[in-house]
Amino acid sequence: GKSGKTALKTVTIKNIVKDIATILQKENIHQIILVGNSLGATIAVEFYKQHKKITKKMILFTLFSKRYV
């Protein structure tokens, strides 16, 4: 594409969770159902840990890391 390269150091689960929370806040969304597979499931679990009040349900497949199981 024509966009600049993203520094890989900034692409972390923590930053992805922060980005999701920012989007939800800007869109005025107060309840969510998270669906994730592999790395997406790991991100969903991390999001839930930080934002339990707005996470209504989670559907997870094939977690990326054993530390979350």
Side-chain angles (χ1 to χ4, degrees), residues 1 15-16 22 41 50 58 64:
N15 285 341
I16 293 169
T22 299
Q50 295 180 32
M58 292 193 304
F64 184 71

Side-chain angles (χ1 to χ4, degrees), residues 5-49:
K5 293 184 179 180
T6 301
L8 289 179
K9 292 179 183 178
T10 64
V11 181
T12 64
I13 292 173
K14 181 180 177 179
N15 285 341
I16 293 169
V17 167
K18 189 185 301 183
D19 289 344
I20 294 167
T22 299
I23 291 167
L24 294 172
Q25 182 180 12
K26 286 184 178 185
E27 294 296 323
N28 203 28
I29 297 171
H30 304 288
Q31 288 267 299
I32 61 168
I33 298 172
L34 296 169
V35 179
N37 180 52
S38 190
L39 178 58
T42 303
I43 293 166
V45 169
E46 189 61 33
F47 184 91
Y48 170 74
K49 287 169 52 179

